[in-house]
Amino acid sequence: MANTEIQSTLQSCGFLKNISPAHLATISDFCSLDQYTAGAYVFRQGDFGEDLFIIVDGYVFLERAMDIGSHKGSVVIDALGKGRTLGCWSALLGEPHVLMSSASCQKDSTVIRLKGRQLRKCMEEDTPFGFFMLERLCFLLRERIQAAYGAMDKI
């Protein structure tokens, strides 16, 4: 996938809604494309994470392993398809963090990996862009919190 295709995919995803063409060009320079087969993990709960992921194609379950007395196993927090986003804490906090969930591919999937460290640097250097991204990350966090509460209701 060429840089122009990465830019097109980034621009069409809800997470980067209304991003300026200049900022889109900047962040696409530190994106890479990752391929996963069905059953593979984009990341696992307990690992260190620092990147954002945007699904180009495929289907990914965001799930959390649980051990609540007699209830052991995992709960699906959200089922994510094309254009959806995973991850975000490192861009907000400026450091790798322990991942609180796993992202498992339910079918062959392609994702764009957006480097969290470089994204944060751009956010720090360009205040309007930093505010734009902070707002987008807050919407993503709200979405995840709502999905987690919904998943807890099913336990």
Side-chain angles (χ1 to χ4, degrees), residues 103-115:
S104 65
C105 297
Q106 301 306 297
K107 63 182 190 176
D108 292 353
S109 301
T110 304
V111 300
I112 293 173
R113 179 186 298 261
L114 203 151
K115 306 286 191 243

Side-chain angles (χ1 to χ4, degrees), residues 1-2 30 51 57 65-66 92 131 141:
M1 180 179 269
F30 50 83
D51 297 331
D57 190 32
M66 301 185 63
L92 282 173
F131 183 81
L141 285 172

Side-chain angles (χ1 to χ4, degrees), residues 2 7-8 26 41 56 64 88 97 100 103 110 123 136 142:
Q7 284 185 30
S8 175
T26 298
Y41 285 85
V56 175
R64 179 162 173 85
C88 83
H97 68 285
M100 295 181 277
T110 304
M123 291 169 64
R136 301 313 307 159
R142 179 183 70 183

Side-chain angles (χ1 to χ4, degrees), residues 15-133:
F15 176 67
L16 293 173
K17 178 179 158 185
N18 299 324
I19 190 170
S20 74
H23 291 129
L24 182 65
T26 298
I27 65 172
S28 67
D29 285 341
F30 50 83
C31 288
S32 62
L33 204 61
D34 296 343
Q35 304 274 343
Y36 299 91
T37 58
Y41 285 85
V42 177
F43 53 80
R44 289 183 186 262
Q45 181 176 328
D47 289 348
F48 282 101
E50 60 180 314
D51 297 331
L52 288 163
F53 302 90
I54 298 171
I55 301 169
V56 175
D57 190 32
Y59 197 63
V60 177
F61 279 178
L62 188 62
E63 53 193 9
R64 179 162 173 85
M66 301 185 63
D67 184 354
I68 306 173
S70 62
H71 292 85
K72 293 181 183 180
S74 66
V75 62
V76 174
I77 296 168
D78 212 347
L80 306 168
K82 183 177 181 172
R84 299 289 300 277
T85 305
L86 305 160
C88 83
W89 285 108
S90 60
L92 282 173
L93 303 175
E95 59 187 39
H97 68 285
V98 175
L99 295 166
M100 295 181 277
S101 59
S102 296
S104 65
C105 297
Q106 301 306 297
K107 63 182 190 176
D108 292 353
S109 301
T110 304
V111 300
I112 293 173
R113 179 186 298 261
L114 203 151
K115 306 286 191 243
R117 189 172 293 171
Q118 285 95 335
L119 177 61
R120 182 172 172 91
K121 185 174 187 251
C122 289
M123 291 169 64
E124 290 172 340
E125 292 172 354
D126 182 339
T127 303
F129 176 66
F131 183 81
F132 168 82
M133 286 305 303

